[in-house]
Amino acid sequence: MAKEKGSFLRINKKLIAVVAALGLLMGGTSALSASAAEKKPAKKTTTKKPAAKPSVAASPAAPVKTAQQIAMEKEIAALKASGKPFQYWVGLIFSDIANSAATGQILAWGKSRGIKVEPVLVNQNNLAANVTAAVAAGTMPDALDISDTLMLQLGSKNLLNVQALSNELARVYGGWNQAAANFDKADYAGKGLGVPYGISGNLINRRLDLLKEAGAKTTAPKTWEELMDSATKTMKVGGAGFALGNVGDAESVFRAQFVGYGGRYADDAGKKCTIDSKATRDFLGFVKKWYDKGAYSPSAVTTDGGWDNNLYLGGKTVFIANPGSVYTTMVNGSAAWPKNPTLAKNTGFSALPGGPVTRVAPSNGWLRAVSATTKYPELAQDLIRYLMKPENIDVYYEWAIYGPALKGYNKFEYWDENVDPVHGGLFDLATAGTSSSFPDVNNAAYAQFGTEFQLSKMVQRHLLDGDSADKTIAEAQAACQKIYDANNK
Amino acid sequence: MARKNVKFSLFKYTMLMFVAIFVLYPVYYMITLSLRSQASLWSNPTLLPASDSSLENYRAAFASVEFTTSLKNSVIVCSSATILALVFGVMAAYSLTILKFRGRDTMGRVIIIAFLTPGALLFIPFAVIMANLNLSNSLKGLVLVYLSFMVPLATYLLLGFFRSLPPELEEAARIDGANRLQALWFVLVPLIAPGLISVAIITFTGAYNELLYSLVINVSPSVRTVPVAILNLSVADEVPWGRTMAYSSVAAIPIMVLYFLGQRFVVEGLQTGSVKG
C-alpha cells in the first residue's frame, strides 16, 4: 500500500510536469506567434497591383423588382431576428489575394445590407466531404462556390434553381462566354442550378530552354504524339510530367487524350457505355508506347495534386498540363516556392494538343449556387449578383486562375496574352473552349465516372498490372455501365 | 554459457536496432523535410540533412494564426474529452467489474464493438446529431463526438485495472460506512491512478490525431483542430511539403511530451488491459 501511495505521489509530480509542459508549450506558441506577428513577414512583392477595396455601391445594373425588394426586406428582418449570420462557403483557391478579395466583398455586402455574414473559406480539395455531411445534417450554408461536377451530383434536390438570376446576369453583362454557356444549354442536366463565375482548364507548359538545348521543336505541340516525341528527345526519362495515379491531373489529361483518339464514355443518350471501342484501344496503345519509351516519370504513379507542379518548378520535366498555378508561382512566388522569373521566361504556354481524331480544349466551371435549405434565397441571390459585378470580379480574376464567365468581363486588360500569358490562355479557354464532357452528355453518371478516376484506373491496369488491353477495356466498360445504370434508374 | 549470452545479447540489440530504425525513420524524415524549402526538396532529393536547411517553415508555423488557434483548439478539445472519458470510463469499468447485474458481459462486449466501428461509417450520423443539438461548428460538439470512441476505449482499458483489484477492498470500505461512490473515489481510484494516466495519454492521442469528424463537423476556421489545419495547407494543386512537415513536427510535441513523461504507465496500462481485460 505504501508503495502504491508513493507511486501515486510520483504520478502527481508527473502530472504537474505534464500540465506545466503543456502550459509552457501553449504559452511559448502564443509568445512566438505574437513575436512573429510583431515582426510581420516581409510583404510579398508582386508585379501586379494590390487588390482594390471591394465596391459597396448599391447593387445591380438590372432593376430590382419591388416584390424582390419586399421579400429581401423580410429575409433581412428574419435573419436579424435569428441572431445567426448568413453563411457563404467560399472555395479556398490557390491565391491568398483572391481568397481575401472574395471574403472582403462578402463582408462588404453584408455591411451594406446591415446583416451579419460569415464567409467561410472551405478547401476545394475537401469540399465533397464537407458538403456530403452538411447535406445530411441540414447544415448547408446559405450559398456556396461549387464545381460543376459536384453541382451535378447534388442536383435540384439540394440546390435552388437560380435560372432567373442567371438570365438576368447574362442580359446585363452581354451574355455568357462559350465555356460558361455550356452550363446554360437546354439539355444540360444542371441547367439553372448555379451561376458560372470561373472557367478553368489545363494549358501545356513547356521548357523552351531544355527543348532548344536538345534540338527538339520549341513550338507548341499540335498533337500528343508530337509532345511525347519532344519529351523523350529532351529528357531520357520523365520528360512528360503527366501523372498516372488516381488524381484529377491524371484523369483530365487522359480524358483529353482519350477524346483526341475518338473515345467517349457513352452514347448520345448518355445511357449506354461505349468504352469498348477501337478508339479506346488506340488510346491505350498510345499511352503504352510512350510509357515504354520512358516518357513518364517513375514517380508518376505515386502522386499528389501538386506533384507535376513541383516536378516542373524543380526542373525535372519538360512538359506539364497546368491550369495556371505554376505560372503564378513563377511570377509571384507561393507558400512553397520562391519566384522564378527566369523559368517563367523559359516557359511556353499552349492549348492541349490533339489526337488523330480531334483536338479538344476541355474547360471546367466553378459556379455560385444557393442551397435548397436556405431561408434566405433572395439574399443569397443578391449576394451572387453583387459578387458578379464587374468591379468586384475584376479584382478576383486578376489573382485567381479562372477565365471569364460573362462577355462583359472580357474587357479586363490581363486577358491579353502579352500582359499575362496564362490569363490569355484562360481567356481563350473561356471564349473558345469545349465543355469538359465533350462529346459526352454532361450528366451525373459522367461526373461520377471521372471522380472515381475510372479512366486512370483502366490505364493503370494495362500499364502497371500488365493486363491486356482487351481485359482492361472490358473491365472499364463493365464499371462504366454500372455507373450509368445506377444514375439512370 | 557466457558466450551464449553475448550472442543472444548481440542478436537482441541488432533486432532492437532494426525496430528502432523502422519506428524512428518516419520521424527523422518528417524533421529533415521540415527544415527544407520546396525548391531544395525537388532539386536535391536527399534523405540526409541538407546544407540549405533552415527554420523558415517553423517560423511560418508560429506566425500562422490559423495554426496556433488550431493547436489551442486541439488541446482544449482533447483535454476536455479526455477528462470526461476518464470520468465515464471509470464509472463504466467499475460497474462492469464490481457490480453484478444481468447482461454485464454482453454490455462489456458491446462497448468494444462501439469502439471498433469505423469513423467513416459514423461521420454523417454524427454530423446530423450535432446539427440537431445545435452543436455543429463548436468545440463542445467535437468533445461530445470524440467521447463516442474515447469512452469505450477508456472503459476497455480500465476494465483490466479494476479486475486486478481484490473485491475485498471495496467491501471493506463499504463495511466502514462508505457508499459506493465514496468507495470508488477514495479507495479504488487512487489504486488505479497509474492506469488512469496511461488511459488518459492513449485516449488523448486518439482524439488529437482525429481528422474526419473535425473536418466535416467544424467548418469555421476559429474551431478547426490541428489535423484539419495541416490538411488545409494543401490548396488546389499545391502541397507545401516542408511547411506541412514543420506543422506536423510542432503538432507532435504535446503528444511526445506526454509519452515521454508517462511511457511507463502507458506500457503498464496496455499490458494490464490486454492481459486482464
Side-chain angles (χ1 to χ4, degrees):
Chain A
M1 195 68 185
K3 193 182 168 192
E4 292 291 348
K5 202 175 173 187
S7 149
F8 186 52
L9 284 173
R10 276 201 303 281
I11 293 157
N12 275 339
K13 280 180 195 164
K14 295 238 169 175
L15 262 176
I16 291 162
V18 169
V19 171
L22 273 176
L24 276 174
L25 178 76
M26 295 310 295
T29 303
S30 311
L32 275 168
S33 167
S35 128
E38 269 168 31
K39 281 176 195 166
K40 273 190 185 171
K43 219 177 180 182
K44 193 169 86 174
T45 48
T46 64
T47 52
K48 295 181 174 184
K49 65 183 181 195
K53 275 191 173 178
S55 155
V56 286
S59 189
V64 178
K65 290 175 188 170
T66 318
Q68 272 180 341
Q69 257 178 345
I70 295 166
M72 210 160 75
E73 279 165 14
K74 275 186 185 168
E75 288 179 10
I76 290 173
L79 182 68
K80 282 180 178 170
S82 77
K84 287 181 181 171
F86 178 95
Q87 201 181 57
Y88 190 97
W89 283 5
V90 185
L92 180 71
I93 61 168
F94 175 73
S95 160
D96 285 341
I97 299 175
N99 293 330
S100 303
T103 49
Q105 287 167 14
I106 293 167
L107 289 170
W109 169 80
K111 205 174 166 189
S112 73
R113 295 287 175 232
I115 54 169
K116 225 165 40 172
V117 288
E118 187 188 14
V120 180
L121 285 164
V122 178
N123 197 328
Q124 288 180 343
N125 297 344
N126 316 323
L127 191 61
N130 285 122
V131 165
T132 306
V135 164
T139 54
M140 279 284 277
D142 296 292
L144 74 164
D145 294 344
I146 195 168
S147 70
D148 52 7
T149 316
L150 193 54
M151 185 179 79
L152 272 179
Q153 289 173 325
L154 287 176
S156 56
K157 211 171 146 188
N158 299 299
L159 299 172
L160 209 68
N161 192 304
V162 289
Q163 186 64 55
L165 174 65
S166 192
N167 292 343
E168 176 195 320
L169 291 167
R171 196 176 60 245
V172 176
Y173 301 124
W176 299 107
N177 281 321
Q178 183 173 306
N182 289 323
F183 303 111
D184 200 32
K185 282 184 177 166
D187 61 351
Y188 175 54
K191 182 175 162 64
L193 296 182
V195 174
Y197 71 93
I199 302 300
S200 68
N202 280 324
L203 300 172
I204 292 292
N205 298 13
R206 65 186 191 281
R207 282 289 296 269
L208 299 170
D209 52 340
L210 295 181
L211 288 163
K212 199 173 171 186
E213 210 176 288
K217 271 193 201 171
T218 54
T219 51
K222 287 192 171 60
T223 65
W224 288 106
E225 280 282 345
E226 198 183 317
L227 182 150
M228 292 296 196
D229 186 48
S230 296
T232 43
K233 270 183 188 157
T234 310
M235 213 172 256
K236 212 174 167 189
V237 176
F242 304 134
L244 291 170
N246 292 339
V247 285
D249 286 339
E251 192 72 11
S252 59
V253 171
F254 284 142
R255 168 74 193 177
Q257 293 169 342
F258 173 73
V259 174
Y261 276 81
R264 56 184 297 173
Y265 296 165
D267 60 6
D268 285 340
K271 289 183 177 172
K272 192 170 181 299
C273 279
T274 54
I275 299 278
D276 193 351
S277 67
K278 180 185 174 296
T280 309
R281 280 176 181 77
D282 292 346
F283 157 70
L284 274 182
F286 155 78
V287 181
K288 178 87 168 85
K289 176 178 129 187
W290 292 106
Y291 177 78
D292 291 342
K293 285 190 177 183
Y296 291 92
S297 163
S299 59
V301 186
T302 49
T303 62
D304 55 49
W307 167 85
D308 53 343
N309 301 19
N310 291 323
L311 210 61
Y312 191 86
L313 290 163
K316 303 285 182 190
T317 193
V318 186
F319 292 97
I320 58 162
N322 181 264
S325 56
V326 164
Y327 176 73
T328 312
T329 302
M330 289 188 285
V331 174
N332 299 321
S334 72
W337 288 91
K339 283 187 210 178
N340 193 341
T342 313
L343 185 57
K345 212 174 137 190
N346 284 325
T347 297
F349 301 92
S350 58
L352 296 187
V357 175
T358 188
R359 185 177 184 178
V360 286
S363 62
N364 298 99
W366 278 85
L367 301 98
R368 294 193 160 120
V370 180
S371 303
T373 51
T374 182
K375 291 172 187 161
Y376 318 108
E378 288 302 331
L379 273 175
Q381 291 181 77
D382 186 60
L383 171 58
I384 294 173
R385 201 178 279 122
Y386 175 80
L387 292 171
M388 298 294 280
K389 287 171 78 175
E391 60 267 40
N392 286 334
I393 207 145
D394 179 13
V395 181
Y396 186 75
Y397 277 153
E398 188 176 359
W399 295 95
I401 42 175
Y402 291 136
L406 285 156
K407 286 179 181 164
Y409 306 150
N410 294 356
K411 61 188 176 192
F412 305 143
E413 61 169 8
Y414 41 74
W415 301 130
D416 182 345
E417 64 178 347
N418 297 313
V419 175
D420 184 331
V422 162
H423 272 86
L426 290 168
F427 179 78
D428 287 344
L429 198 68
T431 51
T434 47
S435 153
S436 61
S437 64
F438 176 82
D440 277 298
V441 178
N442 198 355
N443 54 21
Y446 166 81
Q448 190 183 335
F449 190 85
T451 51
E452 288 183 7
F453 308 112
Q454 291 289 349
L455 211 51
S456 306
K457 286 173 185 169
M458 179 177 77
V459 173
Q460 289 158 19
R461 281 195 287 269
H462 186 46
L463 261 53
L464 311 173
D465 300 344
D467 288 353
S468 70
D470 285 339
K471 192 183 171 199
T472 52
I473 289 171
E475 282 173 2
Q477 168 75 24
C480 176
Q481 198 55 60
K482 203 174 162 187
I483 291 169
Y484 273 76
D485 286 346
N487 280 282
N488 285 318
K489 263 181 190 170
Chain B
M1 192 67 179
R3 237 174 109 184
K4 213 173 173 182
N5 276 343
V6 171
K7 268 186 184 173
F8 179 70
S9 293
L10 199 68
F11 172 75
K12 193 172 73 180
Y13 284 109
T14 310
M15 293 310 290
L16 284 173
M17 200 178 69
F18 276 119
V19 172
I21 290 171
F22 185 75
V23 171
L24 290 175
Y25 179 73
V27 179
Y28 164 79
Y29 196 55
M30 176 175 77
I31 292 168
T32 315
L33 254 59
S34 73
L35 296 169
R36 300 180 63 189
S37 68
Q38 194 91 334
S40 158
L41 283 175
W42 284 84
S43 57
N44 179 23
T46 174
L47 295 177
L48 301 170
S51 55
D52 56 358
S53 296
S54 82
L55 292 172
E56 188 47 45
N57 292 321
Y58 287 92
R59 270 186 218 113
F62 288 116
S64 160
V65 176
E66 192 181 337
F67 179 65
T68 49
T69 305
S70 70
L71 200 58
K72 200 169 73 186
N73 288 342
S74 274
V75 173
I76 292 169
V77 168
C78 299
S79 308
S80 314
T82 301
I83 292 166
L84 288 172
L86 284 182
V87 172
F88 292 123
V90 163
M91 291 197 283
Y94 169 80
S95 312
L96 290 169
T97 48
I98 309 288
L99 304 183
K100 289 181 177 64
F101 55 92
R102 270 178 75 181
R104 190 175 72 163
D105 293 342
T106 314
M107 204 168 275
R109 282 185 210 110
V110 168
I111 285 173
I112 305 298
I113 292 169
F115 170 65
L116 295 176
T117 309
L121 293 179
L122 298 174
F123 82 93
I124 289 181
F126 275 132
V128 175
I129 294 168
M130 287 306 116
N132 289 338
L133 292 174
N134 235 346
L135 287 173
S136 297
N137 249 337
S138 73
L139 297 181
K140 279 180 276 183
L142 210 53
V143 170
L144 269 186
V145 171
Y146 284 179
L147 287 178
S148 70
F149 64 86
M150 289 170 80
V151 172
L153 176 64
T155 307
Y156 172 68
L157 293 173
L158 287 169
L159 279 175
F161 286 96
F162 274 103
R163 283 179 186 149
S164 69
L165 299 176
E168 294 78 19
L169 275 174
E170 204 241 359
E171 286 164 17
R174 297 291 306 279
I175 290 166
D176 286 345
N179 62 27
R180 283 207 186 277
L181 266 181
Q182 286 169 327
L184 172 65
W185 182 248
F186 294 109
V187 178
L188 302 183
V189 167
L191 293 175
I192 58 155
L196 289 178
I197 296 201
S198 77
V199 172
I201 293 172
I202 293 163
T203 50
F204 185 94
T205 309
Y208 195 78
N209 291 333
E210 200 285 323
L211 168 72
L212 188 59
Y213 297 145
S214 179
L215 176 71
V216 298
I217 292 169
N218 282 0
V219 180
S220 297
S222 59
V223 285
R224 280 179 190 150
T225 55
V226 162
V228 180
I230 293 173
L231 181 72
N232 272 343
L233 284 173
S234 304
V235 178
D237 57 355
E238 186 179 78
V239 185
W241 283 112
R243 198 165 284 190
T244 302
M245 292 300 154
Y247 279 41
S248 303
S249 302
V250 175
I253 292 172
I255 297 293
M256 284 181 174
V257 170
L258 281 179
Y259 271 86
F260 179 74
L261 294 171
Q263 57 182 314
R264 186 165 67 87
F265 302 111
V266 174
V267 173
E268 197 178 311
L270 287 173
Q271 280 173 343
T272 311
S274 60
V275 176
K276 294 166 185 162

